[in-house]
Every structure is written in C-alpha cells, then in structure tokens.
Amino acid sequence: IEGKERYRVTGDHLDFIKQSETAVMTQKVVFTDEGSQLFTDHLTYHLNSETAVFIQGGRIISAGDELQSQTGIYETRNNLFRFRSSVKLKNKDYQVVTDTMHYHTLSERSDFMSYTLITSDSGTIECELGQYESKSGKSKFIRNVEMRSNDNLLCADTLYYDKFNELGSARGLIS
C-alpha cells in the first residue's frame, strides 16, 4: 500500500475490506513514513482517516530513537504516534519507560502522559507527566518529579531543563 507517495506499507499478507476502506496486513509488516519505520506482525490501516493501528506489539525506529509499545496508533496526517501499554523508548543518551506516550516524528517531541521513568548515565528522573524535545534539548517534567544524580535528590512539582545550555529550574514544592 502506498499513500500520496509519502508512506509505504509492506507485509506478507493483506486483506482489504472495501466497505470500510480498511487494509489489514499481517506477518512481517513494515510501515515507512518520512524517516520513521514501524515494525509489527498485525497492522490495520484506515484509508479514510489515514491512521495505522497495531495492537499486538510494535517497534518504531525514528531519528535515532527506538520505541516499543504493546499498542499504538499512527496518525499519518499529523506525523503523530500514540502509544499505550509497556512503552519503552531507547536513545543513545537515555531510556524512557512509561505506559502512555505521544511521539511527534517531525519535531521529535515525546509527550509522557502517565508515570514515567527516565534513566541515563547521569541518573534518573521520575514524573507523572512530561515532555522532551530531542531537537532543542528542552524538557519539562510535571507532578511528583524526582531527579536523582549520584547521591543527590531533587523533588519538585515541575522541573524544566535545557540540555544544550545546561540550565534547569524547579517550581512548586521543592525539596
């Protein structure tokens, strides 16, 4: 399946349901769209809404990031992945584990929508909500934020960090 010369989907088996304009691909499915690739064994693509849905596990490679999730929806019109259940993001500098995350492929922005644990060589960050923009290096962590580095612990309601300028600030209840 190819759409507007922007994305390409391959797999070993395809069923097309004309009434609902839905394609179901199974076995070794690869969905490629503007530098991102989704790998799964079962993908349902809705042609009218231009959304791809996987519910049996998927792996995404995009801009040096590798994401895994049990279920997900990719909105091709907005270049937005919405992940749910056992979400893991790996990058050369950090790893993220959460339950719900949105990933914008063009801006390389991750939005954390539930409890999140971020691990890197310099320590860990825990929060309930957050956002990280890979291109700008800017992040914002919200609600019950705990940042650990060596023997140091910082707790706050909100934590902002600019990776490239090495500037951070904490707001709310800070300890």
Side-chain angles (χ1 to χ4, degrees):
I1 299 173
E2 292 195 34
K4 300 178 187 173
E5 299 180 21
R6 211 181 90 197
Y7 53 84
R8 180 184 178 115
V9 185
T10 60
D12 288 350
H13 184 80
L14 168 68
D15 288 318
F16 181 72
I17 302 133
K18 183 163 179 50
Q19 252 181 309
S20 61
E21 294 286 310
T22 303
V24 178
M25 296 195 74
T26 56
Q27 303 171 358
K28 301 179 187 169
V29 179
V30 180
F31 186 107
T32 304
D33 184 13
E34 295 185 26
S36 298
Q37 286 189 300
L38 162 63
F39 302 89
T40 187
D41 280 328
H42 189 277
L43 182 80
T44 302
Y45 187 75
H46 304 278
L47 277 76
N48 291 331
S49 63
E50 296 183 43
T51 56
V53 179
F54 64 91
I55 58 172
Q56 298 177 352
R59 182 172 63 97
I60 292 85
I61 307 285
S62 178
D65 293 334
E66 180 178 331
L67 297 102
Q68 293 182 339
S69 173
Q70 188 59 39
T71 63
I73 298 172
Y74 181 47
E75 300 172 3
T76 61
R77 290 179 182 162
N78 327 344
N79 297 92
L80 172 68
F81 277 104
R82 291 187 286 145
F83 300 106
R84 184 128 177 100
S85 187
S86 304
V87 181
K88 295 176 184 163
L89 182 148
K90 292 181 185 177
N91 180 289
K92 64 182 176 73
D93 298 324
Y94 57 88
Q95 291 186 32
V96 177
V97 176
T98 189
D99 187 62
T100 305
M101 183 175 83
H102 294 176
Y103 182 77
H104 306 264
T105 60
L106 295 181
S107 66
E108 297 175 29
R109 187 181 84 214
S110 301
D111 296 317
F112 315 116
M113 317 298 276
S114 63
Y115 170 80
T116 302
L117 173 64
I118 303 164
T119 308
S120 69
D121 290 342
S122 59
T124 62
I125 297 174
E126 294 178 63
C127 65
E128 291 181 24
L129 294 170
Q131 185 177 85
Y132 178 69
E133 295 179 9
S134 297
K135 287 181 179 179
S136 70
K138 294 182 180 177
S139 55
K140 175 172 65 172
F141 306 105
I142 306 167
R143 281 200 211 134
N144 299 316
V145 181
E146 287 188 10
M147 185 173 88
R148 297 175 193 277
S149 179
N150 300 323
D151 292 331
N152 300 315
L153 171 64
L154 171 65
C155 299
D157 288 338
T158 304
L159 178 67
Y160 298 92
Y161 186 68
D162 182 333
K163 177 181 173 180
F164 300 129
N165 293 311
E166 296 182 346
L167 296 171
S169 67
R171 301 247 177 2
L173 294 173
I174 301 169
S175 61

